Structure formats: C-alpha cells, structure tokens
Amino acid sequence: MPDDHLIGHVIAARYHILELLGVGGMGRVYLAEHVSLGRRCAVKMISPAFATSADAITRFNREAANASRINHPNVAQVYDFGAAENGTLYLAMELVEGEALAAILQRLGALPLARVATINAQIADALAAAHHLSIVHRDLKPENIMMGRRHDGAELVKVVDFGIAKTVEQEGGSQTVTTAGISVGTPAYMSPEQLAGLKVDHRSDIYALGLVCFHMLTGKLPHPAVTSKESLVHRLTARPEQLAEARPDVHWPAGLQGALDRALAPEADDRYHRAVDFASDVARAAERASARSATPVSAVTVAPRATTTQRAV
C-alpha cells in the first residue's frame, strides 16, 4: 500500500521496512531488512487493539520468547520481538519464500491425499517440537501455515505464530468466542474447549490439525461457520461431517476417517495424545491408497495386448 506510513522507515532502530506482505486479523506483516546484518525477514506489527494494557504486553513478550525457543525446520524461526518507537508490538521472524496454505486451498480446493499426508506430517512435526517445550500454538489454521520449498524442490512447511494468539486473551487465561476468538478471526479452527472458554492444552492443537487435514482433503471444513449462539451450540454438539459425505465421489482408504474421528473427538481425553501419531495414521492410509492404485493386474487374467488403468485416489 503506497500510503502505508511504515514503508521506508526503520523501526526499533534496526528493521528497515521495505513493503507490505499481508494483512491479517492480528496486524500487518512486512518485508524488512536488518540495517546491520543485511538479512531480510518478515516483521509482524501487532495491532494496537491487542496491546492495550501492560498485562497484554507482558503476555506478548512471554509468548514471543517461548516461540523463539522452538528450533525446528518446520517452524518459522523468531529472531526478535519488542515494541517499536510508537509502542506497537512487533515480531521479527524468518522470511518464508512461498505462500500460505490458505491461499493454496482457496486456489486449488481439495488436495491429493499423498500431498495432504506429507503436509500433515510436517505440521505435526512442528507441533511436536513445540509441545515438547510445553508450548501450545492456540491458533493453528491454514493462514498460519506457510508453504515454501527445499533446495531440492520438495514442499516445505513452516508454521508461524506459535502462542501469539494468547496475547489477546482476557485476564485469567480464558479465551472465548465472544472475546479474543472472534477478534482474531479463528473460531472455525478452535477446539470445543477453546470455543467454550475452558483451559486448553496441546490436544487443542491436535484438534485444529484434524480440521486443517479435513480441509485439505475436501476443500472445506466439517462443520458450519460459527456466527451466532445457535451455530456455536451446533458446533459443540453436532457430529462433524464425514469424508464420504463431503466428497462421496472419492474412495477413501481404510483408517483415514477413523484417524480424523479421533483427532476431532469432542472430548480432549479421547483425542490423540501426540500430533505425530495422528500424522502417522494419515500417512499409513495414504500408503494403502497408493498401493491399491499401483497394484499390477495379473497377467493370467488380462489378455496380452490389453491395457488397464486404475484411477488414483
């Protein structure tokens, strides 16, 4: 945006703001360059509405410090954080060359199962690294999953914004759909306990991962949007849509729906305890689908010059 007053300026005496990369529910993300190191990075400027008290600033600093401890190839590294000259909170992080999973899903809709399994496994690895440090993301969604490339061209997941959603919580640690949740704009990916304003742990992230996985497989979410008290009650009580209902034209492999059912269990105790276990079950289902598609037709039952093709799932 040409009228963006930050572009061309240096914040915190070290980040030269070059251009606007995107606008989200919590603020704006800019391309910046460290004035001394010459290293380019992404700088997220947190909306002042989310830092109106000393307590909110303290929470932001704590959560940003926690996020900087996560050292994993599937997590965008946090370089620096603090307050700019005007008091606006900022977060400087690794610049990911690529696009958000949300943009890919909007452009392509449902993705092939093999690709979903690969992406899902990388997201789960990122969550596992955070959960090992007792860090809960709290806001996992396609917008916070960046898709880059490795040196060999393979797809590389980078999860961003670990714990930052906590900076908009109310005093006491609750987060409800009528306060911070709606402000951040992510009730669609919240767990039931998060929507109800109850205490959350790493199993909320696993629930969100289940929703992201379903979205990748079908091009949509398994429940209506939360827009009112009635739709919130429906979300908390109704069974999520099944894969066969969302895409009845697809022959889903055995075990895949069961994995999603467990990840999306309404009660946290009934979910996977580890994100990587969910990813492993999804990967096994993808392998079964791939093996079925690749099974050669027996030469005994096929005429010598006949050709047979089998549609991949």
Side-chain angles (χ1 to χ4, degrees):
M1 295 176 62
D3 58 345
D4 194 306
H5 70 281
L6 282 181
I7 295 176
H9 288 74
V10 176
I11 66 164
R14 49 190 175 275
Y15 296 109
H16 182 206
I17 303 299
L18 302 177
E19 64 178 87
L20 179 68
L21 294 178
V23 179
M26 291 182 63
R28 297 187 170 200
V29 181
Y30 296 89
L31 171 66
E33 185 174 275
H34 195 287
V35 295
S36 299
L37 302 176
R39 178 180 63 189
R40 291 197 167 191
C41 62
V43 172
K44 172 169 282 192
M45 303 298 295
I46 309 299
S47 171
F50 294 148
T52 56
S53 69
D55 182 66
I57 294 173
T58 298
R59 284 198 302 269
F60 171 82
N61 287 332
R62 181 177 64 246
E63 296 302 324
N66 283 339
S68 69
R69 295 166 51 211
I70 307 173
N71 182 18
H72 191 276
N74 293 124
V75 177
Q77 185 177 356
V78 173
Y79 297 141
D80 189 17
F81 56 89
E85 288 76 6
N86 65 354
T88 303
L89 299 175
Y90 73 86
L91 188 74
M93 68 190 87
E94 175 184 357
L95 178 66
V96 181
E97 300 287 351
E99 62 181 331
L101 178 60
I104 294 174
L105 293 174
Q106 185 174 18
R107 186 175 71 252
L108 301 179
L111 305 180
L113 176 54
R115 185 181 183 188
V116 171
T118 299
I119 295 172
N120 194 61
Q122 293 187 54
I123 301 171
D125 282 347
L127 292 177
H131 295 167
H132 179 70
L133 298 172
S134 298
I135 297 171
V136 180
H137 192 291
R138 295 172 178 265
D139 195 25
L140 185 69
K141 56 185 178 180
E143 289 82 357
N144 283 337
I145 300 165
M146 299 299 298
M147 305 302 300
R149 293 284 174 184
R150 303 183 194 273
H151 293 300
D152 60 2
E155 211 158 33
L156 176 64
V157 167
K158 292 281 187 178
V159 180
V160 304
D161 283 1
F162 272 92
I164 300 305
K166 190 175 182 180
T167 64
V168 299
E169 290 181 1
Q170 292 180 312
E171 185 75 31
S174 66
Q175 179 168 342
T176 70
V177 71
T178 56
T179 56
I182 284 292
S183 298
V184 178
T186 58
Y189 291 91
M190 286 182 179
S191 64
E193 61 270 23
Q194 199 170 4
L195 285 168
L198 303 176
K199 184 178 180 180
V200 303
D201 59 23
H202 67 284
R203 293 169 297 182
S204 272
D205 285 347
I206 294 172
Y207 186 95
L209 179 58
L211 291 176
V212 170
C213 186
F214 187 97
H215 193 170
M216 289 192 289
L217 290 168
T218 67
K220 62 179 184 176
L221 287 166
H223 50 67
V226 177
T227 58
S228 65
K229 181 181 293 185
E230 291 73 23
S231 60
L232 173 59
V233 172
H234 181 274
R235 167 70 183 281
L236 294 174
T237 58
R239 175 182 66 85
E241 188 175 26
Q242 303 285 284
L243 290 172
E245 296 167 340
R247 293 187 65 193
D249 57 313
V250 177
H251 187 126
W252 299 105
L256 184 56
Q257 184 61 61
L260 285 167
D261 288 344
R262 186 175 174 189
L264 297 176
E267 296 294 332
D269 289 343
D270 295 330
R271 294 177 207 146
Y272 288 94
H273 186 69
R274 304 193 310 163
V276 293
D277 293 336
F278 168 59
S280 294
D281 283 350
V282 172
R284 276 192 287 270
E287 289 168 2
R288 282 192 289 270
S290 178
R292 183 177 66 242
S293 299
T295 300
V297 179
S298 171
V300 175
T301 59
V302 179
R305 287 186 293 178
T307 59
T308 302
T309 59
Q310 189 171 355
R311 184 166 63 94
V313 177

